[in-house]
Amino acid sequence: QKEVEQNSGPLSVPEGAIASLNCTYSDRVSQSFFWYRQYSGKSPELIMSIYSNGDKEDGRFTAQLNKASQYVSLLIRDSQPSDSATYLCAVGNTGGFKTIFGAGTRLFVKA
Amino acid sequence: DVKVTQSSRYLVKRTGEKVFLECVQDMDHENMFWYRQDPGLGLRLIYFSYDVKMKEKGDIPEGYSVSREKKERFSLILESASTNQTSMYLCASSSDGTGGHYGYTFGSGTRLTVV
């Protein structure tokens, strides 16, 4: 059983639309939740972190966490072609020693 | 503005060679990690370290060892390289907060090919 699950995609959205990326996790004691963006051939880059239930907004990005449902999502508003990348969901506990990454969702934003 | 530096971007080694991958961070982070990333398998943790001279096995430590003699440097060693160790190797570092860690900063990666 995978511990962090993401839809592998590809998810295709038109430029200017909202892209919605979803992630579920199995470990109920998880405390830290992250979204990383990875362009092809590059290393992952942290774009959002969230630690408590609710929404967290940073520019065009909104992370949403629901610990009761063990669900975390990332919304990208006004999607741009430059947002085309693989988005990795990561879930960790205290200390970060066992952070688990999902396999990633490939996003394509069509101009 | 480089924060996590991996010594090589591309590396080609022969089967049986001993291979050293170096990683240096300048953010004074306590925790450092080595992952490998393969298509379809995602990121898999090889080893991590939460302090100088401390190391812990991750999910796939077989065939690897690590060294952390200084806080800023974490080395991955392939004792006898094999073709199934051909992969992208990613080093990362993090610091801890009360709610867990603050997320990883990754290096640019080393694409290792073993022939």
PDB file of all heavy atoms in Angstrom, chain A residues 31-32 34 36 38 41 43-44 46 51 88 93-99 101, chain B residues 9 31 33 35 37 43 45 48 50 59 90 96 99-104 106-107:
ATOM      1  N   GLN A  31       2.591  15.280  10.297  1.00  0.00           N
ATOM      2  CA  GLN A  31       2.464  16.641  10.809  1.00  0.00           C
ATOM      3  C   GLN A  31       2.864  17.712   9.811  1.00  0.00           C
ATOM      4  O   GLN A  31       2.503  18.868   9.968  1.00  0.00           O
ATOM      5  CB  GLN A  31       3.326  16.797  12.062  1.00  0.00           C
ATOM      6  CG  GLN A  31       2.927  15.885  13.205  1.00  0.00           C
ATOM      7  CD  GLN A  31       3.741  16.158  14.447  1.00  0.00           C
ATOM      8  OE1 GLN A  31       4.571  17.049  14.472  1.00  0.00           O
ATOM      9  NE2 GLN A  31       3.493  15.396  15.487  1.00  0.00           N
ATOM     10  N   SER A  32       3.632  17.321   8.801  1.00  0.00           N
ATOM     11  CA  SER A  32       4.168  18.303   7.858  1.00  0.00           C
ATOM     12  C   SER A  32       3.783  17.893   6.457  1.00  0.00           C
ATOM     13  O   SER A  32       3.888  16.717   6.102  1.00  0.00           O
ATOM     14  CB  SER A  32       5.695  18.377   7.952  1.00  0.00           C
ATOM     15  OG  SER A  32       6.127  18.457   9.281  1.00  0.00           O
ATOM     16  N   PHE A  34       3.936  19.064   2.228  1.00  0.00           N
ATOM     17  CA  PHE A  34       4.681  19.922   1.311  1.00  0.00           C
ATOM     18  C   PHE A  34       4.293  19.641  -0.130  1.00  0.00           C
ATOM     19  O   PHE A  34       3.910  18.531  -0.492  1.00  0.00           O
ATOM     20  CB  PHE A  34       6.200  19.660   1.460  1.00  0.00           C
ATOM     21  CG  PHE A  34       6.693  19.765   2.868  1.00  0.00           C
ATOM     22  CD1 PHE A  34       6.760  18.634   3.666  1.00  0.00           C
ATOM     23  CD2 PHE A  34       7.083  20.976   3.402  1.00  0.00           C
ATOM     24  CE1 PHE A  34       7.207  18.713   4.977  1.00  0.00           C
ATOM     25  CE2 PHE A  34       7.519  21.073   4.708  1.00  0.00           C
ATOM     26  CZ  PHE A  34       7.587  19.939   5.496  1.00  0.00           C
ATOM     27  N   TYR A  36       6.210  20.153  -3.863  1.00  0.00           N
ATOM     28  CA  TYR A  36       7.417  20.477  -4.591  1.00  0.00           C
ATOM     29  C   TYR A  36       7.091  20.512  -6.081  1.00  0.00           C
ATOM     30  O   TYR A  36       6.291  19.717  -6.572  1.00  0.00           O
ATOM     31  CB  TYR A  36       8.509  19.430  -4.358  1.00  0.00           C
ATOM     32  CG  TYR A  36       9.069  19.411  -2.950  1.00  0.00           C
ATOM     33  CD1 TYR A  36       8.403  18.734  -1.929  1.00  0.00           C
ATOM     34  CD2 TYR A  36      10.264  20.051  -2.646  1.00  0.00           C
ATOM     35  CE1 TYR A  36       8.919  18.707  -0.637  1.00  0.00           C
ATOM     36  CE2 TYR A  36      10.786  20.027  -1.358  1.00  0.00           C
ATOM     37  CZ  TYR A  36      10.103  19.353  -0.366  1.00  0.00           C
ATOM     38  OH  TYR A  36      10.615  19.333   0.910  1.00  0.00           O
ATOM     39  N   GLN A  38       8.854  20.128  -9.853  1.00  0.00           N
ATOM     40  CA  GLN A  38      10.052  19.598 -10.493  1.00  0.00           C
ATOM     41  C   GLN A  38       9.919  19.725 -12.002  1.00  0.00           C
ATOM     42  O   GLN A  38       9.089  19.065 -12.632  1.00  0.00           O
ATOM     43  CB  GLN A  38      10.299  18.127 -10.111  1.00  0.00           C
ATOM     44  CG  GLN A  38      11.616  17.592 -10.628  1.00  0.00           C
ATOM     45  CD  GLN A  38      11.933  16.199 -10.107  1.00  0.00           C
ATOM     46  OE1 GLN A  38      11.045  15.441  -9.715  1.00  0.00           O
ATOM     47  NE2 GLN A  38      13.224  15.850 -10.082  1.00  0.00           N
ATOM     48  N   GLY A  41      14.253  17.235 -15.881  1.00  0.00           N
ATOM     49  CA  GLY A  41      15.706  17.283 -15.818  1.00  0.00           C
ATOM     50  C   GLY A  41      16.274  18.095 -14.669  1.00  0.00           C
ATOM     51  O   GLY A  41      17.492  18.224 -14.548  1.00  0.00           O
ATOM     52  N   SER A  43      15.980  19.352 -10.298  1.00  0.00           N
ATOM     53  CA  SER A  43      15.671  18.802  -8.991  1.00  0.00           C
ATOM     54  C   SER A  43      14.401  19.456  -8.441  1.00  0.00           C
ATOM     55  O   SER A  43      13.995  20.525  -8.887  1.00  0.00           O
ATOM     56  CB  SER A  43      16.850  19.030  -8.043  1.00  0.00           C
ATOM     57  OG  SER A  43      17.122  20.407  -7.910  1.00  0.00           O
ATOM     58  N   PRO A  44      13.749  18.805  -7.468  1.00  0.00           N
ATOM     59  CA  PRO A  44      12.522  19.377  -6.894  1.00  0.00           C
ATOM     60  C   PRO A  44      12.800  20.689  -6.154  1.00  0.00           C
ATOM     61  O   PRO A  44      13.852  20.866  -5.548  1.00  0.00           O
ATOM     62  CB  PRO A  44      12.061  18.285  -5.920  1.00  0.00           C
ATOM     63  CG  PRO A  44      12.720  17.030  -6.390  1.00  0.00           C
ATOM     64  CD  PRO A  44      14.040  17.463  -6.937  1.00  0.00           C
ATOM     65  N   LEU A  46      10.869  23.339  -3.387  1.00  0.00           N
ATOM     66  CA  LEU A  46       9.761  23.507  -2.455  1.00  0.00           C
ATOM     67  C   LEU A  46       8.956  24.752  -2.819  1.00  0.00           C
ATOM     68  O   LEU A  46       9.509  25.849  -2.959  1.00  0.00           O
ATOM     69  CB  LEU A  46      10.299  23.648  -1.036  1.00  0.00           C
ATOM     70  CG  LEU A  46       9.283  23.844   0.078  1.00  0.00           C
ATOM     71  CD1 LEU A  46       8.409  22.612   0.241  1.00  0.00           C
ATOM     72  CD2 LEU A  46       9.991  24.176   1.395  1.00  0.00           C
ATOM     73  N   TYR A  51       0.910  23.008   7.712  1.00  0.00           N
ATOM     74  CA  TYR A  51       1.042  22.209   8.926  1.00  0.00           C
ATOM     75  C   TYR A  51      -0.280  22.045   9.684  1.00  0.00           C
ATOM     76  O   TYR A  51      -0.399  21.170  10.542  1.00  0.00           O
ATOM     77  CB  TYR A  51       2.061  22.837   9.868  1.00  0.00           C
ATOM     78  CG  TYR A  51       3.427  23.020   9.245  1.00  0.00           C
ATOM     79  CD1 TYR A  51       3.795  24.237   8.684  1.00  0.00           C
ATOM     80  CD2 TYR A  51       4.335  21.976   9.193  1.00  0.00           C
ATOM     81  CE1 TYR A  51       5.042  24.408   8.097  1.00  0.00           C
ATOM     82  CE2 TYR A  51       5.593  22.136   8.614  1.00  0.00           C
ATOM     83  CZ  TYR A  51       5.934  23.356   8.068  1.00  0.00           C
ATOM     84  OH  TYR A  51       7.168  23.518   7.485  1.00  0.00           O
ATOM     85  N   LEU A  88       5.175  17.217  -6.812  1.00  0.00           N
ATOM     86  CA  LEU A  88       5.345  16.142  -5.838  1.00  0.00           C
ATOM     87  C   LEU A  88       4.722  16.540  -4.510  1.00  0.00           C
ATOM     88  O   LEU A  88       5.012  17.609  -3.975  1.00  0.00           O
ATOM     89  CB  LEU A  88       6.832  15.851  -5.614  1.00  0.00           C
ATOM     90  CG  LEU A  88       7.669  15.502  -6.832  1.00  0.00           C
ATOM     91  CD1 LEU A  88       9.138  15.417  -6.458  1.00  0.00           C
ATOM     92  CD2 LEU A  88       7.202  14.194  -7.444  1.00  0.00           C
ATOM     93  N   ASN A  93       6.758  13.527   9.377  1.00  0.00           N
ATOM     94  CA  ASN A  93       6.458  13.624  10.798  1.00  0.00           C
ATOM     95  C   ASN A  93       7.536  14.472  11.461  1.00  0.00           C
ATOM     96  O   ASN A  93       8.392  15.029  10.784  1.00  0.00           O
ATOM     97  CB  ASN A  93       6.338  12.242  11.442  1.00  0.00           C
ATOM     98  CG  ASN A  93       7.572  11.396  11.194  1.00  0.00           C
ATOM     99  OD1 ASN A  93       8.630  11.911  10.840  1.00  0.00           O
ATOM    100  ND2 ASN A  93       7.450  10.102  11.373  1.00  0.00           N
ATOM    101  N   THR A  94       7.479  14.574  12.760  1.00  0.00           N
ATOM    102  CA  THR A  94       8.428  15.415  13.480  1.00  0.00           C
ATOM    103  C   THR A  94       9.851  14.986  13.186  1.00  0.00           C
ATOM    104  O   THR A  94      10.174  13.807  13.252  1.00  0.00           O
ATOM    105  CB  THR A  94       8.171  15.337  14.996  1.00  0.00           C
ATOM    106  OG1 THR A  94       6.828  15.746  15.249  1.00  0.00           O
ATOM    107  CG2 THR A  94       9.129  16.242  15.753  1.00  0.00           C
ATOM    108  N   GLY A  95      10.673  15.942  12.857  1.00  0.00           N
ATOM    109  CA  GLY A  95      12.061  15.641  12.553  1.00  0.00           C
ATOM    110  C   GLY A  95      12.315  15.420  11.086  1.00  0.00           C
ATOM    111  O   GLY A  95      13.449  15.508  10.641  1.00  0.00           O
ATOM    112  N   GLY A  96      11.282  15.106  10.344  1.00  0.00           N
ATOM    113  CA  GLY A  96      11.455  14.967   8.904  1.00  0.00           C
ATOM    114  C   GLY A  96      12.233  13.754   8.475  1.00  0.00           C
ATOM    115  O   GLY A  96      12.618  13.642   7.330  1.00  0.00           O
ATOM    116  N   PHE A  97      12.472  12.813   9.389  1.00  0.00           N
ATOM    117  CA  PHE A  97      13.314  11.690   9.012  1.00  0.00           C
ATOM    118  C   PHE A  97      12.621  10.732   8.069  1.00  0.00           C
ATOM    119  O   PHE A  97      13.276   9.997   7.351  1.00  0.00           O
ATOM    120  CB  PHE A  97      13.762  10.933  10.265  1.00  0.00           C
ATOM    121  CG  PHE A  97      14.528  11.790  11.229  1.00  0.00           C
ATOM    122  CD1 PHE A  97      14.442  11.557  12.586  1.00  0.00           C
ATOM    123  CD2 PHE A  97      15.308  12.846  10.787  1.00  0.00           C
ATOM    124  CE1 PHE A  97      15.140  12.351  13.475  1.00  0.00           C
ATOM    125  CE2 PHE A  97      16.007  13.646  11.671  1.00  0.00           C
ATOM    126  CZ  PHE A  97      15.920  13.387  13.026  1.00  0.00           C
ATOM    127  N   LYS A  98      11.340  10.693   8.112  1.00  0.00           N
ATOM    128  CA  LYS A  98      10.620   9.749   7.277  1.00  0.00           C
ATOM    129  C   LYS A  98       9.653  10.477   6.358  1.00  0.00           C
ATOM    130  O   LYS A  98       8.511  10.117   6.217  1.00  0.00           O
ATOM    131  CB  LYS A  98       9.883   8.721   8.135  1.00  0.00           C
ATOM    132  CG  LYS A  98      10.804   7.812   8.902  1.00  0.00           C
ATOM    133  CD  LYS A  98      11.692   6.983   7.983  1.00  0.00           C
ATOM    134  CE  LYS A  98      10.925   5.894   7.283  1.00  0.00           C
ATOM    135  NZ  LYS A  98      11.823   5.055   6.445  1.00  0.00           N
ATOM    136  N   THR A  99      10.103  11.523   5.773  1.00  0.00           N
ATOM    137  CA  THR A  99       9.263  12.189   4.786  1.00  0.00           C
ATOM    138  C   THR A  99       9.049  11.266   3.613  1.00  0.00           C
ATOM    139  O   THR A  99       9.993  10.689   3.082  1.00  0.00           O
ATOM    140  CB  THR A  99       9.933  13.489   4.317  1.00  0.00           C
ATOM    141  OG1 THR A  99      10.035  14.373   5.423  1.00  0.00           O
ATOM    142  CG2 THR A  99       9.131  14.150   3.216  1.00  0.00           C
ATOM    143  N   PHE A 101       7.477  10.793  -0.211  1.00  0.00           N
ATOM    144  CA  PHE A 101       7.080  11.524  -1.406  1.00  0.00           C
ATOM    145  C   PHE A 101       6.087  10.703  -2.213  1.00  0.00           C
ATOM    146  O   PHE A 101       6.221   9.475  -2.338  1.00  0.00           O
ATOM    147  CB  PHE A 101       8.302  11.810  -2.284  1.00  0.00           C
ATOM    148  CG  PHE A 101       9.171  12.913  -1.760  1.00  0.00           C
ATOM    149  CD1 PHE A 101      10.114  12.671  -0.771  1.00  0.00           C
ATOM    150  CD2 PHE A 101       9.059  14.200  -2.261  1.00  0.00           C
ATOM    151  CE1 PHE A 101      10.915  13.686  -0.280  1.00  0.00           C
ATOM    152  CE2 PHE A 101       9.855  15.228  -1.788  1.00  0.00           C
ATOM    153  CZ  PHE A 101      10.775  14.970  -0.804  1.00  0.00           C
TER     154      PHE A 101
ATOM    155  N   ARG B   9      27.462  17.080 -11.910  1.00  0.00           N
ATOM    156  CA  ARG B   9      26.136  17.064 -12.524  1.00  0.00           C
ATOM    157  C   ARG B   9      25.921  15.758 -13.296  1.00  0.00           C
ATOM    158  O   ARG B   9      24.835  15.197 -13.276  1.00  0.00           O
ATOM    159  CB  ARG B   9      26.007  18.249 -13.467  1.00  0.00           C
ATOM    160  CG  ARG B   9      24.608  18.439 -14.023  1.00  0.00           C
ATOM    161  CD  ARG B   9      23.664  18.968 -12.951  1.00  0.00           C
ATOM    162  NE  ARG B   9      22.322  19.153 -13.494  1.00  0.00           N
ATOM    163  CZ  ARG B   9      21.365  18.229 -13.433  1.00  0.00           C
ATOM    164  NH1 ARG B   9      21.611  17.051 -12.882  1.00  0.00           N
ATOM    165  NH2 ARG B   9      20.180  18.470 -13.938  1.00  0.00           N
ATOM    166  N   ASN B  31      19.834  18.434   9.289  1.00  0.00           N
ATOM    167  CA  ASN B  31      19.484  17.181   8.613  1.00  0.00           C
ATOM    168  C   ASN B  31      19.937  17.185   7.161  1.00  0.00           C
ATOM    169  O   ASN B  31      19.774  18.175   6.446  1.00  0.00           O
ATOM    170  CB  ASN B  31      17.965  16.984   8.635  1.00  0.00           C
ATOM    171  CG  ASN B  31      17.381  17.171  10.015  1.00  0.00           C
ATOM    172  OD1 ASN B  31      17.899  16.661  10.995  1.00  0.00           O
ATOM    173  ND2 ASN B  31      16.292  17.926  10.090  1.00  0.00           N
ATOM    174  N   PHE B  33      20.144  14.458   3.573  1.00  0.00           N
ATOM    175  CA  PHE B  33      19.524  13.254   3.014  1.00  0.00           C
ATOM    176  C   PHE B  33      20.136  12.939   1.655  1.00  0.00           C
ATOM    177  O   PHE B  33      20.514  13.839   0.900  1.00  0.00           O
ATOM    178  CB  PHE B  33      18.015  13.485   2.812  1.00  0.00           C
ATOM    179  CG  PHE B  33      17.298  13.973   4.043  1.00  0.00           C
ATOM    180  CD1 PHE B  33      17.298  15.323   4.378  1.00  0.00           C
ATOM    181  CD2 PHE B  33      16.622  13.086   4.858  1.00  0.00           C
ATOM    182  CE1 PHE B  33      16.638  15.780   5.510  1.00  0.00           C
ATOM    183  CE2 PHE B  33      15.956  13.534   5.985  1.00  0.00           C
ATOM    184  CZ  PHE B  33      15.972  14.870   6.313  1.00  0.00           C
ATOM    185  N   TYR B  35      18.743  10.822  -1.727  1.00  0.00           N
ATOM    186  CA  TYR B  35      17.681  10.117  -2.427  1.00  0.00           C
ATOM    187  C   TYR B  35      18.188   9.703  -3.806  1.00  0.00           C
ATOM    188  O   TYR B  35      19.090  10.308  -4.365  1.00  0.00           O
ATOM    189  CB  TYR B  35      16.471  11.037  -2.644  1.00  0.00           C
ATOM    190  CG  TYR B  35      15.616  11.290  -1.433  1.00  0.00           C
ATOM    191  CD1 TYR B  35      15.936  12.304  -0.529  1.00  0.00           C
ATOM    192  CD2 TYR B  35      14.465  10.547  -1.200  1.00  0.00           C
ATOM    193  CE1 TYR B  35      15.133  12.548   0.579  1.00  0.00           C
ATOM    194  CE2 TYR B  35      13.654  10.791  -0.101  1.00  0.00           C
ATOM    195  CZ  TYR B  35      14.005  11.790   0.781  1.00  0.00           C
ATOM    196  OH  TYR B  35      13.206  12.037   1.865  1.00  0.00           O
ATOM    197  N   GLN B  37      16.273   8.965  -7.636  1.00  0.00           N
ATOM    198  CA  GLN B  37      15.008   9.138  -8.328  1.00  0.00           C
ATOM    199  C   GLN B  37      15.060   8.390  -9.638  1.00  0.00           C
ATOM    200  O   GLN B  37      15.944   8.636 -10.467  1.00  0.00           O
ATOM    201  CB  GLN B  37      14.702  10.623  -8.562  1.00  0.00           C
ATOM    202  CG  GLN B  37      13.323  10.885  -9.126  1.00  0.00           C
ATOM    203  CD  GLN B  37      12.995  12.365  -9.217  1.00  0.00           C
ATOM    204  OE1 GLN B  37      13.865  13.191  -9.451  1.00  0.00           O
ATOM    205  NE2 GLN B  37      11.727  12.717  -9.017  1.00  0.00           N
ATOM    206  N   LEU B  43      10.936   9.184  -5.698  1.00  0.00           N
ATOM    207  CA  LEU B  43      12.085   9.461  -4.840  1.00  0.00           C
ATOM    208  C   LEU B  43      12.171   8.392  -3.747  1.00  0.00           C
ATOM    209  O   LEU B  43      11.198   8.158  -3.033  1.00  0.00           O
ATOM    210  CB  LEU B  43      11.922  10.833  -4.183  1.00  0.00           C
ATOM    211  CG  LEU B  43      12.266  12.046  -5.034  1.00  0.00           C
ATOM    212  CD1 LEU B  43      11.590  13.288  -4.512  1.00  0.00           C
ATOM    213  CD2 LEU B  43      13.770  12.238  -5.075  1.00  0.00           C
ATOM    214  N   LEU B  45      14.509   7.085  -0.408  1.00  0.00           N
ATOM    215  CA  LEU B  45      15.509   7.520   0.557  1.00  0.00           C
ATOM    216  C   LEU B  45      16.575   6.443   0.742  1.00  0.00           C
ATOM    217  O   LEU B  45      16.270   5.299   1.071  1.00  0.00           O
ATOM    218  CB  LEU B  45      14.830   7.842   1.891  1.00  0.00           C
ATOM    219  CG  LEU B  45      15.730   8.330   3.022  1.00  0.00           C
ATOM    220  CD1 LEU B  45      16.381   9.664   2.655  1.00  0.00           C
ATOM    221  CD2 LEU B  45      14.913   8.465   4.309  1.00  0.00           C
ATOM    222  N   PHE B  48      20.100   9.013   5.617  1.00  0.00           N
ATOM    223  CA  PHE B  48      19.988  10.374   6.113  1.00  0.00           C
ATOM    224  C   PHE B  48      20.852  10.551   7.352  1.00  0.00           C
ATOM    225  O   PHE B  48      21.296   9.577   7.958  1.00  0.00           O
ATOM    226  CB  PHE B  48      18.534  10.764   6.374  1.00  0.00           C
ATOM    227  CG  PHE B  48      17.840   9.942   7.429  1.00  0.00           C
ATOM    228  CD1 PHE B  48      17.823  10.352   8.754  1.00  0.00           C
ATOM    229  CD2 PHE B  48      17.164   8.780   7.085  1.00  0.00           C
ATOM    230  CE1 PHE B  48      17.177   9.607   9.718  1.00  0.00           C
ATOM    231  CE2 PHE B  48      16.505   8.024   8.047  1.00  0.00           C
ATOM    232  CZ  PHE B  48      16.508   8.443   9.364  1.00  0.00           C
ATOM    233  N   TYR B  50      21.101  13.246  10.903  1.00  0.00           N
ATOM    234  CA  TYR B  50      20.515  14.339  11.661  1.00  0.00           C
ATOM    235  C   TYR B  50      21.552  15.059  12.518  1.00  0.00           C
ATOM    236  O   TYR B  50      21.217  15.959  13.293  1.00  0.00           O
ATOM    237  CB  TYR B  50      19.335  13.877  12.510  1.00  0.00           C
ATOM    238  CG  TYR B  50      19.645  12.696  13.397  1.00  0.00           C
ATOM    239  CD1 TYR B  50      20.155  12.871  14.673  1.00  0.00           C
ATOM    240  CD2 TYR B  50      19.425  11.397  12.948  1.00  0.00           C
ATOM    241  CE1 TYR B  50      20.440  11.798  15.476  1.00  0.00           C
ATOM    242  CE2 TYR B  50      19.712  10.313  13.744  1.00  0.00           C
ATOM    243  CZ  TYR B  50      20.221  10.514  15.013  1.00  0.00           C
ATOM    244  OH  TYR B  50      20.505   9.444  15.810  1.00  0.00           O
ATOM    245  N   ASP B  59      15.266   3.702   3.060  1.00  0.00           N
ATOM    246  CA  ASP B  59      14.503   2.565   2.542  1.00  0.00           C
ATOM    247  C   ASP B  59      15.315   1.633   1.647  1.00  0.00           C
ATOM    248  O   ASP B  59      14.998   0.453   1.522  1.00  0.00           O
ATOM    249  CB  ASP B  59      13.292   3.089   1.762  1.00  0.00           C
ATOM    250  CG  ASP B  59      12.358   3.893   2.651  1.00  0.00           C
ATOM    251  OD1 ASP B  59      12.130   3.469   3.801  1.00  0.00           O
ATOM    252  OD2 ASP B  59      11.868   4.948   2.198  1.00  0.00           O
ATOM    253  N   LEU B  90      19.951  12.637  -5.626  1.00  0.00           N
ATOM    254  CA  LEU B  90      19.602  13.960  -5.109  1.00  0.00           C
ATOM    255  C   LEU B  90      19.970  14.064  -3.645  1.00  0.00           C
ATOM    256  O   LEU B  90      19.588  13.225  -2.830  1.00  0.00           O
ATOM    257  CB  LEU B  90      18.105  14.216  -5.272  1.00  0.00           C
ATOM    258  CG  LEU B  90      17.621  14.392  -6.707  1.00  0.00           C
ATOM    259  CD1 LEU B  90      16.108  14.228  -6.784  1.00  0.00           C
ATOM    260  CD2 LEU B  90      18.015  15.757  -7.245  1.00  0.00           C
ATOM    261  N   ASP B  96      14.811  21.770  11.511  1.00  0.00           N
ATOM    262  CA  ASP B  96      13.628  21.328  12.249  1.00  0.00           C
ATOM    263  C   ASP B  96      12.911  22.482  12.915  1.00  0.00           C
ATOM    264  O   ASP B  96      13.528  23.433  13.379  1.00  0.00           O
ATOM    265  CB  ASP B  96      14.018  20.329  13.347  1.00  0.00           C
ATOM    266  CG  ASP B  96      14.437  19.008  12.781  1.00  0.00           C
ATOM    267  OD1 ASP B  96      14.038  18.707  11.640  1.00  0.00           O
ATOM    268  OD2 ASP B  96      15.155  18.293  13.469  1.00  0.00           O
ATOM    269  N   GLY B  99       6.800  22.101  14.591  1.00  0.00           N
ATOM    270  CA  GLY B  99       5.744  21.375  13.893  1.00  0.00           C
ATOM    271  C   GLY B  99       6.272  20.394  12.872  1.00  0.00           C
ATOM    272  O   GLY B  99       5.544  19.944  11.998  1.00  0.00           O
ATOM    273  N   GLY B 100       7.530  20.064  12.987  1.00  0.00           N
ATOM    274  CA  GLY B 100       8.135  19.217  11.966  1.00  0.00           C
ATOM    275  C   GLY B 100       9.180  20.019  11.219  1.00  0.00           C
ATOM    276  O   GLY B 100       9.510  21.134  11.589  1.00  0.00           O
ATOM    277  N   HIS B 101       9.692  19.434  10.195  1.00  0.00           N
ATOM    278  CA  HIS B 101      10.754  20.149   9.495  1.00  0.00           C
ATOM    279  C   HIS B 101      10.170  21.137   8.503  1.00  0.00           C
ATOM    280  O   HIS B 101       8.983  21.120   8.187  1.00  0.00           O
ATOM    281  CB  HIS B 101      11.721  19.171   8.845  1.00  0.00           C
ATOM    282  CG  HIS B 101      11.167  18.489   7.620  1.00  0.00           C
ATOM    283  ND1 HIS B 101      11.418  18.963   6.352  1.00  0.00           N
ATOM    284  CD2 HIS B 101      10.417  17.384   7.464  1.00  0.00           C
ATOM    285  CE1 HIS B 101      10.828  18.160   5.481  1.00  0.00           C
ATOM    286  NE2 HIS B 101      10.224  17.201   6.123  1.00  0.00           N
ATOM    287  N   TYR B 102      11.019  22.025   8.033  1.00  0.00           N
ATOM    288  CA  TYR B 102      10.584  23.129   7.192  1.00  0.00           C
ATOM    289  C   TYR B 102      10.623  22.807   5.715  1.00  0.00           C
ATOM    290  O   TYR B 102      10.455  23.686   4.886  1.00  0.00           O
ATOM    291  CB  TYR B 102      11.428  24.366   7.478  1.00  0.00           C
ATOM    292  CG  TYR B 102      11.187  24.953   8.849  1.00  0.00           C
ATOM    293  CD1 TYR B 102      12.225  25.087   9.763  1.00  0.00           C
ATOM    294  CD2 TYR B 102       9.928  25.382   9.236  1.00  0.00           C
ATOM    295  CE1 TYR B 102      11.996  25.620  11.022  1.00  0.00           C
ATOM    296  CE2 TYR B 102       9.692  25.919  10.484  1.00  0.00           C
ATOM    297  CZ  TYR B 102      10.731  26.034  11.371  1.00  0.00           C
ATOM    298  OH  TYR B 102      10.519  26.569  12.619  1.00  0.00           O
ATOM    299  N   GLY B 103      10.837  21.567   5.384  1.00  0.00           N
ATOM    300  CA  GLY B 103      10.899  21.225   3.973  1.00  0.00           C
ATOM    301  C   GLY B 103      12.336  21.125   3.523  1.00  0.00           C
ATOM    302  O   GLY B 103      13.254  21.636   4.155  1.00  0.00           O
ATOM    303  N   TYR B 104      12.536  20.449   2.446  1.00  0.00           N
ATOM    304  CA  TYR B 104      13.880  20.190   1.944  1.00  0.00           C
ATOM    305  C   TYR B 104      14.321  21.257   0.958  1.00  0.00           C
ATOM    306  O   TYR B 104      13.524  21.772   0.173  1.00  0.00           O
ATOM    307  CB  TYR B 104      13.920  18.862   1.190  1.00  0.00           C
ATOM    308  CG  TYR B 104      13.707  17.625   2.006  1.00  0.00           C
ATOM    309  CD1 TYR B 104      13.431  16.419   1.379  1.00  0.00           C
ATOM    310  CD2 TYR B 104      13.784  17.623   3.395  1.00  0.00           C
ATOM    311  CE1 TYR B 104      13.234  15.252   2.096  1.00  0.00           C
ATOM    312  CE2 TYR B 104      13.592  16.466   4.122  1.00  0.00           C
ATOM    313  CZ  TYR B 104      13.315  15.278   3.464  1.00  0.00           C
ATOM    314  OH  TYR B 104      13.120  14.124   4.176  1.00  0.00           O
ATOM    315  N   PHE B 106      16.872  20.970  -2.109  1.00  0.00           N
ATOM    316  CA  PHE B 106      17.584  19.959  -2.880  1.00  0.00           C
ATOM    317  C   PHE B 106      18.771  20.570  -3.603  1.00  0.00           C
ATOM    318  O   PHE B 106      18.756  21.733  -3.998  1.00  0.00           O
ATOM    319  CB  PHE B 106      16.660  19.338  -3.925  1.00  0.00           C
ATOM    320  CG  PHE B 106      15.701  18.318  -3.381  1.00  0.00           C
ATOM    321  CD1 PHE B 106      14.428  18.688  -2.956  1.00  0.00           C
ATOM    322  CD2 PHE B 106      16.059  16.985  -3.294  1.00  0.00           C
ATOM    323  CE1 PHE B 106      13.544  17.754  -2.458  1.00  0.00           C
ATOM    324  CE2 PHE B 106      15.176  16.042  -2.791  1.00  0.00           C
ATOM    325  CZ  PHE B 106      13.921  16.422  -2.366  1.00  0.00           C
ATOM    326  N   GLY B 107      19.784  19.738  -3.803  1.00  0.00           N
ATOM    327  CA  GLY B 107      20.845  20.084  -4.725  1.00  0.00           C
ATOM    328  C   GLY B 107      20.374  19.868  -6.154  1.00  0.00           C
ATOM    329  O   GLY B 107      19.252  19.411  -6.397  1.00  0.00           O
TER     330      GLY B 107
END
